């Protein structure tokens, strides 16, 4: 199976997130039918993406990291510095 054919399992924490009048799409996912770690990715309204280099043991851990980033850096950090990789 090629990467483009890969199926993914999305966490229930995935979806639209709004803060300070900024909307981002939060995606927390892993390959379907696996117990692999979760990937954390955020898209802004322009389609730019921020993806964490590290993966997470649980989808809850990934969501907590997203919330911590928003609290520390603000939601606008995803819009002001798009296309970035975080650790």
């Amino acid at each position: 199976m090629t990467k483009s054919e890969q199926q993914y399992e999305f966490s229930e924490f995935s979806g639209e997130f709004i803060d300070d009048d900024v909307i981002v799409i939060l995606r927390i996912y892993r390959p379907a039918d696996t117990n692999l770690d979760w990937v954390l990715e955020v898209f802004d309204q322009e389609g730019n993406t921020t993806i964490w280099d590290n993966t997470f043991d649980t989808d809850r851990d990934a969501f907590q990291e997203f919330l911590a980033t928003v609290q520390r850096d603000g939601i606008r950090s995803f819009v002001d510095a798009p296309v970035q990789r975080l650790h």
Side-chain angles (χ1 to χ4, degrees), residues 18-81:
I18 304 169
D19 186 42
D20 195 24
D21 294 326
V22 174
I23 301 170
V24 297
I25 304 299
L26 176 63
R27 290 184 22 175
I28 300 172
Y29 61 93
R30 66 181 176 185
D33 302 319
T34 71
N35 287 324
L36 295 175
D37 288 345
W38 294 87
V39 174
L40 174 56
E41 192 169 13
V42 177
F43 293 88
D44 69 15
Q45 291 180 312
E46 301 297 319
N48 298 309
T49 186
T50 300
I51 188 166
W52 276 249
D53 287 331
N54 298 336
T55 56
F56 301 87
D57 291 338
T58 68
D59 58 341
R60 182 173 299 280
D61 289 345
F63 185 64
Q64 292 298 322
E65 173 62 22
F66 168 74
L67 292 177
T69 301
V70 169
Q71 184 172 11
R72 181 184 62 242
D73 302 333
I75 191 74
R76 294 189 182 281
S77 66
F78 296 110
V79 180
D80 295 340

